[in-house]
């Protein structure tokens, strides 16, 4: 439990605070600060990923051989060794931290090549319990499919399906879904109306779920910032 809490803490701090500062630096055109914060976020996410892999290694040292055996062998290993809802937290948070580290290190080809492994962890978590952590596995998979070109495994139709499912499952009350949907799928498909409607829904949405108040406030702040970028993106 402590290990999972640490992975969540590193990942949440990187996403909620460091990336927020990074976006402000982008808006101000401060390239040096942007580079510094991107490196900091990458370190936080990598630390979270390493703790997650350590937890999996404590459970079964065979994970190292599975990682070295290629993507198909890794998927088979995960399916055989992680079979219950109790396995979902370590699968999801390790995959989420890993994917976030890759996103923050897009200039490193070796890291990008590991995305299928991070994706496999989250896909397995979704197979076992897609409702975990406000259906965040669906959002993650939607973002990945929307962000990658089809030649590298992206799929816009699958992305929209994942993100619509996440919106419906959360009663449109978990605003991180809206912001993720807008900044990846809507931008990628150049759907200006969808982009604006999703972000306006966040800005005007109030405080529908008290237990998600902090997360939703962060999402609202980002929605305002992304709305200000509309003409730059479309």
């Amino acid at each position: 439990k402590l290990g999972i809490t640490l992975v969540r803490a590193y990942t949440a701090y990187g996403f909620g605070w460091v990336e927020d500062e990074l976006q402000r630096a982008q808006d101000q055109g401060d390239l040096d600060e942007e580079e510094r914060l991107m490196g900091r976020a990458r370190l936080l996410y990598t630390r979270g990923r390493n703790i997650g892999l350590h937890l999996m290694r404590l459970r079964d040292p065979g994970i190292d051989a599975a990682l070295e055996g290629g993507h198909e062998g890794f998927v088979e290993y995960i399916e055989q060794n992680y079979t219950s809802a109790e396995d979902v937290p370590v699968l999801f948070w390790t995959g989420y931290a890993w994917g976030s580290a890759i996103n923050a290190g897009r200039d490193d080809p070796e890291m990008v090549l590991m995305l299928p492994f991070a994706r496999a962890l989250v896909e397995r978590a979704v197979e076992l319990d897609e409702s975990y952590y406000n259906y965040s596995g669906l959002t993650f998979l939607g973002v990945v499919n929307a962000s990658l070109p089809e030649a590298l495994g992206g799929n816009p139709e699958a992305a929209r399906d994942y993100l619509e499912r996440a919106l419906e499952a959360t009663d449109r009350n978990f605003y991180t879904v809206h912001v993720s949907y807008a900044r990846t799928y809507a931008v990628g498909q150049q759907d200006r109306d969808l982009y604006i409607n999703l972000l306006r829904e966040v800005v005007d949405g109030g405080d529908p779920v008290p237990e998600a108040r902090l997360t939703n406030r962060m999402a609202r702040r980002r929605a305002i910032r992304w709305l200000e970028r509309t003409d730059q993106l479309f």
Side-chain angles (χ1 to χ4, degrees), residues 24 48 53 56 113 122 214:
R24 285 203 296 269
L53 289 176
M56 298 176 76
L113 288 172
V122 179
L214 177 60

Side-chain angles (χ1 to χ4, degrees), residues 66-207:
L67 285 168
E68 294 174 359
H71 176 252
E72 291 185 5
F74 183 71
V75 170
E76 183 178 350
Y77 169 84
I78 292 297
E79 291 178 349
Q80 290 178 351
N81 288 274
Y82 293 82
T83 58
S84 73
E86 294 179 357
D87 299 325
V88 169
V90 71
L91 290 168
F92 172 77
W93 286 108
T94 304
Y96 189 90
W98 202 345
S100 299
I102 292 166
N103 184 57
R106 292 188 297 269
D107 57 343
D108 184 343
E110 291 188 9
M111 286 198 71
V112 174
L113 288 172
M114 300 304 290
L115 180 59
F117 294 87
R119 185 175 182 169
L121 292 171
V122 179
E123 286 175 339
R124 184 57 175 161
V126 168
E127 288 173 0
L128 294 172
D129 180 10
E130 68 175 33
S131 70
Y132 180 74
Y133 197 64
N134 292 300
Y135 297 83
S136 291
L138 295 178
T139 304
F140 176 95
L141 295 175
V143 167
V144 169
N145 276 284
S147 301
L148 289 175
E150 293 188 45
L152 296 178
N155 185 327
E157 291 185 8
R160 181 156 196 160
D161 180 63
Y162 279 125
L163 292 162
E164 286 289 343
R165 284 166 59 192
L167 282 178
E168 181 179 358
T170 58
D171 295 323
R172 306 182 79 93
N173 288 332
F174 193 62
Y175 295 150
T176 299
V177 183
H178 299 66
V179 177
S180 299
Y181 198 169
R183 70 178 181 82
T184 58
Y185 178 85
V187 172
Q189 299 301 304
Q190 286 294 282
D191 190 334
R192 183 187 179 105
D193 289 342
L194 176 64
Y195 180 87
I196 292 173
N197 290 338
L198 286 166
L199 297 178
R200 288 302 313 177
E201 187 175 346
V202 174
V203 174
D204 300 334
D207 182 25

